[in-house]
Amino acid sequence: MEPEVMILLTLFALLVAPGLLIQICLNQRLRIFPIVILSTGLFCVNAYLAHYTGGTKEILWAYIAEYGSLLIWLLGGLKRRVIHAHCVWPLPRPPIFEWLPYLGIASSVGIYLSWAGGYFEVPSDVYEHLSRINYFAHRLEQGVVDIYSPWHLLIAICLVLSNSTLDQVLMMFTALLTTWLVVAFFLIAKEMVSAGCWSRTQVNLFGLITAGVVCLTFGTSVFSFVRYYVFAPAFLTYPIYLYLAVCIGKRLIADDIYTLCKSSEAWLVLIGLPVLYLFHR
């Protein structure tokens, strides 16, 4: 299997699939940020479990056990979710134009990176992050799971499982992580105005304009946050922090603190705050 395909499958298995299954099992509306928060929280638990109980095999067995439990939970609830034998759970089916903003973002990131490229000038912080990733990959090959930086451990796992080196997939990670950050800004902006009276088109347009303005003004020219901090944990923690802040703010405006404490946002905060600390300490 090609290294790029294996990396994509690994990222999906670690950052998407666990949270996706949990949301489906809980019969919740599928949203990207809760999926990522739940998945990263589970990743931290498994990494710490593997670190204190053995090594790389333990993290694999932990995921096998959790995936098995979630699938049993999911299959056990199928009978209650069958509707006229046609649909087992209400997966969203957005119109085709709903995917256009994401395609536009991915295309814009591709054009931008083909012009500016990744930020690998010397000196820069990126080499510190790359050296940490290589260190974690080396330790994984020795059967040891270090946990002082789950972000670098996550990328190192992708390298080890794909049997690749950083120089082979450097631009792939740059494109993936940059696209994720811009999509995250887009989703956060949409979340800010989703409870208003705007149409779906207006909400998407506001999200695209906001994401574009943030990317263009968050830094100076090619020396910008979007380009400089690609391999830093801030690419994951900063969007999660903004998303949690927006969710809490919206809930407090609509309800009181007591209602907030009983809401799903409270659970996301309880999971998200430890994730932010562990990934960015």
Side-chain angles (χ1 to χ4, degrees):
M1 185 179 294
E2 293 295 324
E4 293 81 2
V5 176
M6 189 63 193
I7 288 173
L8 289 174
L9 291 176
T10 303
L11 289 174
F12 179 83
L14 296 179
L15 293 181
V16 179
L20 180 66
L21 286 174
I22 291 172
Q23 284 214 304
I24 292 175
C25 289
L26 295 175
N27 205 25
Q28 294 182 343
R29 184 166 65 93
L30 302 182
R31 294 180 296 170
I32 292 178
F33 269 101
I35 288 173
V36 172
I37 292 172
L38 291 170
S39 297
T40 50
L42 196 61
F43 174 77
C44 289
V45 170
N46 291 339
Y48 272 80
L49 181 66
H51 175 76
Y52 288 111
T53 60
T56 53
K57 292 182 180 179
E58 280 68 20
I59 196 170
L60 175 63
W61 283 113
Y63 268 108
I64 291 175
E66 288 153 2
Y67 269 114
S69 300
L70 288 172
L71 290 174
I72 291 173
W73 184 8
L74 177 63
L75 294 174
L78 287 183
K79 292 181 180 180
R80 296 192 300 271
R81 293 175 183 154
V82 172
I83 302 174
H84 303 302
H86 292 300
C87 181
V88 291
W89 64 75
L91 289 176
R93 296 181 179 179
I96 294 178
F97 74 85
E98 279 291 302
W99 299 105
L100 292 180
Y102 301 98
L103 294 175
I105 289 172
S107 302
S108 300
V109 168
I111 294 171
Y112 171 75
L113 290 178
S114 65
W115 166 68
Y119 195 96
F120 303 115
E121 286 83 349
V122 179
S124 63
D125 294 344
V126 67
Y127 292 102
E128 174 64 24
H129 296 296
L130 297 181
S131 65
R132 290 185 183 183
I133 294 169
N134 281 326
Y135 167 78
F136 276 94
H138 179 65
R139 295 289 282 169
L140 286 171
E141 290 171 349
Q142 295 177 332
V144 180
V145 179
D146 278 328
I147 52 173
Y148 75 85
S149 179
W151 170 255
H152 300 103
L153 173 63
L154 177 68
I155 300 177
I157 290 175
C158 294
L159 294 180
V160 172
L161 291 180
S162 63
N163 194 27
S164 59
T165 58
L166 264 177
D167 59 320
Q168 292 176 305
V169 294
L170 206 56
M171 285 309 300
M172 176 190 175
F173 269 111
T174 300
L176 281 176
L177 295 175
T178 305
T179 303
W180 148 254
L181 185 70
V182 181
V183 168
F185 288 147
F186 167 70
L187 293 173
I188 292 166
K190 286 181 60 176
E191 186 69 27
M192 292 174 61
V193 297
S194 60
C197 57
W198 289 8
S199 67
R200 183 176 296 177
T201 302
Q202 290 172 323
V203 170
N204 283 331
L205 186 59
F206 176 79
L208 287 173
I209 293 174
T210 301
V213 170
V214 169
C215 293
L216 291 173
T217 60
F218 203 177
T220 305
S221 185
V222 293
F223 182 76
S224 64
F225 182 89
V226 176
R227 184 167 177 257
Y228 186 81
Y229 290 102
V230 171
F231 289 94
F235 258 49
L236 179 69
T237 56
Y238 185 55
I240 291 178
Y241 165 76
L242 291 178
Y243 178 81
L244 293 176
V246 169
C247 288
I248 293 173
K250 286 177 59 180
R251 178 65 71 169
L252 287 176
I253 291 173
D255 301 301
D256 53 23
I257 295 180
Y258 178 73
T259 305
L260 171 64
C261 293
K262 298 191 300 180
S263 65
S264 60
E265 285 83 358
W267 287 104
L268 282 179
V269 171
L270 289 175
I271 299 172
L273 288 181
V275 167
L276 293 180
Y277 169 75
L278 293 174
F279 269 77
H280 209 157
R281 59 178 173 170

